[in-house]
Amino acid sequence: YDQVLFEDEVTNRMLDALALFDYVCNNKFFVRTSMLLFLNKDDLFREKIARVSIQSLQIFDDYTGAPHDYDGGVEYFRSRFLSCNRSPEEREIFSHVTTATSTENISFVFESCRETILDGNLDRAGFGRNRDV
């Protein structure tokens, strides 16, 4: 959140990620498509927030959490991404905090995603697990 793009040296990486997610999320071809949002590099974020507070950057001055609060920071950025969804009644976005180098974490996240996708497909086909029989 406090770094710029390698190829640009002006554009903030987090703002770039938010703009890209907004573009994809609101693309007319994905209006009714549920999405998975991976907030990756959890380990690096944990280290970064201990040193650099989010609100120390003017572009994130709306952050109201404690200066070095990991959980508050994760929720702030999760909400920034989720707020990009201009069709919340049409689409659900499932978010997961991940560390791609953690096999255990990734296994859990992928299993959760698999179940979410399977449940959605079963519901749309009329065979949802939560239906009364």
Side-chain angles (χ1 to χ4, degrees):
Y1 57 89
D2 73 333
Q3 295 179 317
V4 294
L5 297 175
F6 176 76
E7 65 276 11
D8 185 324
E9 296 185 13
V10 174
T11 304
N12 177 279
R13 287 182 182 190
M14 185 64 77
L15 290 183
D16 187 63
L18 284 162
L20 179 60
F21 185 75
D22 183 87
Y23 175 78
V24 172
C25 182
N26 296 298
N27 185 295
K28 66 181 180 180
F29 297 108
F30 300 125
V31 169
R32 291 188 178 85
T33 304
S34 293
M35 296 190 164
L36 302 169
L37 169 65
F38 295 102
L39 300 170
N40 195 30
K41 299 191 178 184
D42 167 58
D43 53 337
L44 298 179
F45 181 74
R46 191 178 297 276
E47 292 173 14
K48 172 77 71 169
I49 201 163
R51 294 188 325 270
V52 181
S53 78
I54 295 169
Q55 69 262 45
S56 69
L57 285 87
Q58 187 175 4
I59 54 175
F60 300 123
D61 63 359
D62 60 331
Y63 174 71
T64 57
H68 301 284
D69 179 30
Y70 166 81
D71 292 327
V74 167
E75 288 311 310
Y76 171 74
F77 286 115
R78 182 191 319 258
S79 71
R80 289 285 303 256
F81 278 96
L82 295 179
S83 71
C84 292
N85 183 6
R86 292 186 219 133
S87 302
E89 65 285 343
E90 301 279 335
R91 163 197 319 100
E92 204 167 353
I93 299 175
F94 303 94
S95 62
H96 299 277
V97 178
T98 61
T99 302
T101 56
S102 168
T103 306
E104 184 177 305
N105 176 261
I106 291 300
S107 294
F108 172 78
V109 169
F110 281 133
E111 180 60 26
S112 174
C113 292
R114 187 190 67 73
E115 285 189 26
T116 298
I117 292 166
L118 180 60
D119 286 348
N121 288 338
L122 288 172
D123 283 345
R124 281 189 291 285
F127 297 106
R129 295 184 201 183
N130 298 325
R131 297 178 74 87
D132 293 331
V133 180

mmCIF file of all heavy atoms in Angstrom, residues 1-3 11-15 54-63 76 80:
data_model
loop_
_atom_site.group_PDB
_atom_site.id
_atom_site.type_symbol
_atom_site.label_atom_id
_atom_site.label_comp_id
_atom_site.label_asym_id
_atom_site.label_seq_id
_atom_site.Cartn_x
_atom_site.Cartn_y
_atom_site.Cartn_z
ATOM 1 N N TYR A 1 0.800 -1.204 0.000
ATOM 2 C CA TYR A 1 0.000 0.000 0.000
ATOM 3 C C TYR A 1 0.842 1.267 0.000
ATOM 4 O O TYR A 1 0.335 2.347 -0.266
ATOM 5 C CB TYR A 1 -0.996 0.011 1.159
ATOM 6 C CG TYR A 1 -0.371 -0.137 2.536
ATOM 7 C CD1 TYR A 1 0.037 0.980 3.240
ATOM 8 C CD2 TYR A 1 -0.205 -1.381 3.114
ATOM 9 C CE1 TYR A 1 0.610 0.851 4.490
ATOM 10 C CE2 TYR A 1 0.355 -1.517 4.356
ATOM 11 C CZ TYR A 1 0.764 -0.399 5.050
ATOM 12 O OH TYR A 1 1.326 -0.523 6.302
ATOM 13 N N ASP A 2 2.123 1.134 0.267
ATOM 14 C CA ASP A 2 2.986 2.318 0.255
ATOM 15 C C ASP A 2 4.047 2.242 -0.840
ATOM 16 O O ASP A 2 5.030 2.963 -0.806
ATOM 17 C CB ASP A 2 3.636 2.520 1.619
ATOM 18 C CG ASP A 2 4.726 1.501 1.908
ATOM 19 O OD1 ASP A 2 4.651 0.383 1.360
ATOM 20 O OD2 ASP A 2 5.644 1.805 2.682
ATOM 21 N N GLN A 3 3.819 1.396 -1.832
ATOM 22 C CA GLN A 3 4.784 1.251 -2.913
ATOM 23 C C GLN A 3 4.163 1.678 -4.238
ATOM 24 O O GLN A 3 2.940 1.631 -4.404
ATOM 25 C CB GLN A 3 5.258 -0.198 -3.019
ATOM 26 C CG GLN A 3 6.024 -0.658 -1.797
ATOM 27 C CD GLN A 3 6.454 -2.110 -1.930
ATOM 28 O OE1 GLN A 3 5.686 -2.956 -2.370
ATOM 29 N NE2 GLN A 3 7.686 -2.388 -1.542
ATOM 30 N N THR A 11 2.413 5.671 -9.823
ATOM 31 C CA THR A 11 1.142 5.047 -9.460
ATOM 32 C C THR A 11 1.308 4.111 -8.268
ATOM 33 O O THR A 11 2.144 3.213 -8.288
ATOM 34 C CB THR A 11 0.576 4.255 -10.660
ATOM 35 O OG1 THR A 11 0.450 5.138 -11.770
ATOM 36 C CG2 THR A 11 -0.778 3.656 -10.335
ATOM 37 N N ASN A 12 0.478 4.328 -7.258
ATOM 38 C CA ASN A 12 0.481 3.478 -6.075
ATOM 39 C C ASN A 12 -0.015 2.082 -6.452
ATOM 40 O O ASN A 12 -1.025 1.938 -7.149
ATOM 41 C CB ASN A 12 -0.418 4.096 -4.998
ATOM 42 C CG ASN A 12 -0.522 3.245 -3.762
ATOM 43 O OD1 ASN A 12 -1.284 2.287 -3.732
ATOM 44 N ND2 ASN A 12 0.237 3.593 -2.742
ATOM 45 N N ARG A 13 0.688 1.060 -5.974
ATOM 46 C CA ARG A 13 0.339 -0.325 -6.326
ATOM 47 C C ARG A 13 -1.056 -0.720 -5.848
ATOM 48 O O ARG A 13 -1.795 -1.413 -6.558
ATOM 49 C CB ARG A 13 1.364 -1.297 -5.737
ATOM 50 C CG ARG A 13 2.687 -1.280 -6.433
ATOM 51 C CD ARG A 13 3.623 -2.304 -5.837
ATOM 52 N NE ARG A 13 4.924 -2.253 -6.482
ATOM 53 C CZ ARG A 13 5.865 -3.145 -6.295
ATOM 54 N NH1 ARG A 13 5.678 -4.160 -5.472
ATOM 55 N NH2 ARG A 13 7.022 -3.031 -6.924
ATOM 56 N N MET A 14 -1.428 -0.297 -4.650
ATOM 57 C CA MET A 14 -2.746 -0.662 -4.130
ATOM 58 C C MET A 14 -3.846 0.036 -4.925
ATOM 59 O O MET A 14 -4.867 -0.586 -5.249
ATOM 60 C CB MET A 14 -2.863 -0.320 -2.648
ATOM 61 C CG MET A 14 -4.153 -0.786 -2.013
ATOM 62 S SD MET A 14 -4.363 -2.587 -1.978
ATOM 63 C CE MET A 14 -3.276 -3.002 -0.625
ATOM 64 N N LEU A 15 -3.646 1.310 -5.254
ATOM 65 C CA LEU A 15 -4.652 2.001 -6.067
ATOM 66 C C LEU A 15 -4.763 1.371 -7.446
ATOM 67 O O LEU A 15 -5.863 1.266 -7.997
ATOM 68 C CB LEU A 15 -4.314 3.485 -6.188
ATOM 69 C CG LEU A 15 -4.479 4.323 -4.923
ATOM 70 C CD1 LEU A 15 -4.165 5.786 -5.218
ATOM 71 C CD2 LEU A 15 -5.864 4.179 -4.332
ATOM 72 N N ILE A 54 -1.196 2.883 7.736
ATOM 73 C CA ILE A 54 -1.962 3.112 6.510
ATOM 74 C C ILE A 54 -2.296 4.589 6.354
ATOM 75 O O ILE A 54 -2.133 5.177 5.288
ATOM 76 C CB ILE A 54 -3.244 2.258 6.506
ATOM 77 C CG1 ILE A 54 -2.875 0.776 6.451
ATOM 78 C CG2 ILE A 54 -4.151 2.631 5.340
ATOM 79 C CD1 ILE A 54 -4.022 -0.168 6.691
ATOM 80 N N GLN A 55 -2.745 5.221 7.451
ATOM 81 C CA GLN A 55 -3.160 6.612 7.333
ATOM 82 C C GLN A 55 -1.992 7.583 7.177
ATOM 83 O O GLN A 55 -2.205 8.777 6.985
ATOM 84 C CB GLN A 55 -4.089 7.037 8.463
ATOM 85 C CG GLN A 55 -3.440 7.126 9.819
ATOM 86 C CD GLN A 55 -3.677 5.886 10.637
ATOM 87 O OE1 GLN A 55 -3.555 4.774 10.131
ATOM 88 N NE2 GLN A 55 -3.990 6.050 11.895
ATOM 89 N N SER A 56 -0.763 7.085 7.199
ATOM 90 C CA SER A 56 0.376 7.960 6.941
ATOM 91 C C SER A 56 0.457 8.334 5.461
ATOM 92 O O SER A 56 1.169 9.257 5.089
ATOM 93 C CB SER A 56 1.684 7.312 7.397
ATOM 94 O OG SER A 56 2.008 6.215 6.566
ATOM 95 N N LEU A 57 -0.304 7.636 4.624
ATOM 96 C CA LEU A 57 -0.370 7.966 3.198
ATOM 97 C C LEU A 57 -1.644 8.754 2.943
ATOM 98 O O LEU A 57 -2.736 8.307 3.300
ATOM 99 C CB LEU A 57 -0.389 6.695 2.350
ATOM 100 C CG LEU A 57 0.959 5.991 2.236
ATOM 101 C CD1 LEU A 57 1.161 5.047 3.391
ATOM 102 C CD2 LEU A 57 1.062 5.303 0.923
ATOM 103 N N GLN A 58 -1.510 9.898 2.349
ATOM 104 C CA GLN A 58 -2.649 10.779 2.115
ATOM 105 C C GLN A 58 -3.756 10.083 1.329
ATOM 106 O O GLN A 58 -4.930 10.328 1.563
ATOM 107 C CB GLN A 58 -2.207 12.043 1.390
ATOM 108 C CG GLN A 58 -3.296 13.070 1.256
ATOM 109 C CD GLN A 58 -2.800 14.356 0.632
ATOM 110 O OE1 GLN A 58 -1.650 14.466 0.231
ATOM 111 N NE2 GLN A 58 -3.678 15.330 0.543
ATOM 112 N N ILE A 59 -3.398 9.198 0.417
ATOM 113 C CA ILE A 59 -4.401 8.517 -0.406
ATOM 114 C C ILE A 59 -5.281 7.565 0.403
ATOM 115 O O ILE A 59 -6.342 7.171 -0.053
ATOM 116 C CB ILE A 59 -3.751 7.759 -1.581
ATOM 117 C CG1 ILE A 59 -2.672 6.803 -1.082
ATOM 118 C CG2 ILE A 59 -3.208 8.716 -2.608
ATOM 119 C CD1 ILE A 59 -2.061 5.929 -2.159
ATOM 120 N N PHE A 60 -4.842 7.218 1.612
ATOM 121 C CA PHE A 60 -5.637 6.339 2.472
ATOM 122 C C PHE A 60 -5.980 7.032 3.783
ATOM 123 O O PHE A 60 -6.119 6.389 4.822
ATOM 124 C CB PHE A 60 -4.888 5.029 2.741
ATOM 125 C CG PHE A 60 -4.571 4.250 1.496
ATOM 126 C CD1 PHE A 60 -3.271 3.896 1.186
ATOM 127 C CD2 PHE A 60 -5.576 3.867 0.614
ATOM 128 C CE1 PHE A 60 -2.967 3.179 0.040
ATOM 129 C CE2 PHE A 60 -5.290 3.161 -0.548
ATOM 130 C CZ PHE A 60 -3.981 2.812 -0.831
ATOM 131 N N ASP A 61 -6.159 8.341 3.737
ATOM 132 C CA ASP A 61 -6.420 9.089 4.970
ATOM 133 C C ASP A 61 -7.814 8.849 5.551
ATOM 134 O O ASP A 61 -8.132 9.301 6.636
ATOM 135 C CB ASP A 61 -6.160 10.583 4.775
ATOM 136 C CG ASP A 61 -7.072 11.231 3.747
ATOM 137 O OD1 ASP A 61 -7.910 10.530 3.152
ATOM 138 O OD2 ASP A 61 -6.929 12.449 3.537
ATOM 139 N N ASP A 62 -8.654 8.081 4.819
ATOM 140 C CA ASP A 62 -9.966 7.731 5.354
ATOM 141 C C ASP A 62 -9.907 6.505 6.270
ATOM 142 O O ASP A 62 -10.902 6.133 6.880
ATOM 143 C CB ASP A 62 -10.972 7.491 4.229
ATOM 144 C CG ASP A 62 -10.573 6.363 3.291
ATOM 145 O OD1 ASP A 62 -9.356 6.116 3.122
ATOM 146 O OD2 ASP A 62 -11.477 5.731 2.708
ATOM 147 N N TYR A 63 -8.739 5.898 6.376
ATOM 148 C CA TYR A 63 -8.570 4.755 7.294
ATOM 149 C C TYR A 63 -8.685 5.281 8.724
ATOM 150 O O TYR A 63 -7.999 6.219 9.105
ATOM 151 C CB TYR A 63 -7.203 4.098 7.074
ATOM 152 C CG TYR A 63 -6.884 3.010 8.077
ATOM 153 C CD1 TYR A 63 -7.549 1.790 8.033
ATOM 154 C CD2 TYR A 63 -5.954 3.225 9.087
ATOM 155 C CE1 TYR A 63 -7.272 0.791 8.941
ATOM 156 C CE2 TYR A 63 -5.670 2.218 10.006
ATOM 157 C CZ TYR A 63 -6.330 1.011 9.928
ATOM 158 O OH TYR A 63 -6.062 0.021 10.846
ATOM 159 N N TYR A 76 -9.955 -2.935 6.293
ATOM 160 C CA TYR A 76 -10.019 -1.699 5.516
ATOM 161 C C TYR A 76 -9.821 -1.995 4.029
ATOM 162 O O TYR A 76 -10.623 -1.571 3.192
ATOM 163 C CB TYR A 76 -8.954 -0.711 6.006
ATOM 164 C CG TYR A 76 -8.800 0.497 5.114
ATOM 165 C CD1 TYR A 76 -9.766 1.505 5.103
ATOM 166 C CD2 TYR A 76 -7.700 0.619 4.267
ATOM 167 C CE1 TYR A 76 -9.629 2.601 4.268
ATOM 168 C CE2 TYR A 76 -7.556 1.721 3.437
ATOM 169 C CZ TYR A 76 -8.522 2.706 3.437
ATOM 170 O OH TYR A 76 -8.383 3.802 2.619
ATOM 171 N N ARG A 80 -12.435 -1.864 0.849
ATOM 172 C CA ARG A 80 -12.156 -1.035 -0.331
ATOM 173 C C ARG A 80 -12.379 -1.855 -1.601
ATOM 174 O O ARG A 80 -12.971 -1.367 -2.559
ATOM 175 C CB ARG A 80 -10.718 -0.501 -0.311
ATOM 176 C CG ARG A 80 -10.417 0.578 0.717
ATOM 177 C CD ARG A 80 -10.972 1.945 0.369
ATOM 178 N NE ARG A 80 -10.535 2.477 -0.898
ATOM 179 C CZ ARG A 80 -9.617 3.429 -1.069
ATOM 180 N NH1 ARG A 80 -9.034 3.967 -0.016
ATOM 181 N NH2 ARG A 80 -9.309 3.850 -2.269
#
